[in-house]
Amino acid sequence: MLARDQRLSLPRVTTLLAVVDAAIRVLRIALAVVGGAVLVTATVDWAVRTRRINPFSPISRFFRRAVDPLLAPVEARVVRAGGLPSQAPWWALAAVVVAGVLLIVLLQWLHTTVVAVSLASERGAAGIVQLVLGWAFELLKLALIIRVLVSWIG
């Protein structure tokens, strides 16, 4: 029995889980800082674009020189979609927030998947079959949800 317990200890999986947990913690803090910086930048750039800040002030000149080139692709896409150029900073902020949330969700999914696979492998073939069947039903539920959402959109 002792040999079996030693065989079931999975140091690589434990190490991977610790790395993923640490990455999630660090990314949450880093993304909050980046999001805050983008929020401040978007607010000031919006104020410059809508002339709430004097267009000839040093802040306005700095933002037109340093920030506007970074927002040019976002602005072009917003204008093509029928929006106003002054909305570009807010769309850039939305993109940063959505990308950050998706990155954190992806890492949490990776963590959950690694735990599920390691637990299923400890249970043997029955555990792996149960895991695959569970994944199949989750995939079917996701397909139904997507179909309903698409039917609402058109």
Side-chain angles (χ1 to χ4, degrees):
M1 186 70 172
L2 183 60
R4 181 175 179 182
D5 289 340
Q6 288 175 351
R7 183 179 60 87
L8 289 179
S9 70
L10 303 169
R12 288 184 180 150
V13 172
T14 307
T15 304
L16 177 65
L17 291 177
V19 168
V20 170
D21 282 339
I24 290 172
R25 271 186 255 121
V26 169
L27 271 175
R28 281 184 179 163
I29 294 169
L31 289 172
V33 169
V34 168
V38 171
L39 174 65
V40 170
T41 304
T43 303
V44 174
D45 193 59
W46 171 80
V48 167
R49 287 171 182 257
T50 57
R51 303 200 185 259
R52 286 173 171 65
I53 295 178
N54 182 2
F56 301 107
S57 72
I59 293 173
S60 296
R61 280 184 261 153
F62 171 76
F63 269 78
R64 281 195 304 273
R65 186 182 71 244
V67 176
D68 282 356
L70 298 174
L71 290 177
V74 177
E75 182 179 353
R77 186 168 291 241
V78 168
V79 170
R80 270 195 315 259
L84 299 173
S86 62
Q87 297 171 341
W90 301 121
W91 284 106
L93 175 64
V96 168
V97 169
V98 168
V101 168
L102 287 177
L103 183 61
I104 289 173
V105 166
L106 178 69
L107 286 174
Q108 288 175 337
W109 174 81
L110 176 68
H111 180 273
T112 304
T113 302
V114 168
V115 168
V117 169
S118 66
L119 290 176
S121 67
E122 286 180 7
R123 295 182 56 214
I128 292 174
V129 167
Q130 185 179 9
L131 178 70
V132 170
L133 285 174
W135 283 350
F137 282 110
E138 291 298 320
L139 185 64
L140 288 173
K141 284 196 295 189
L142 180 65
L144 285 172
I145 290 170
I146 290 172
R147 180 166 174 117
V148 168
L149 291 177
V150 168
S151 72
W152 290 346
I153 293 171

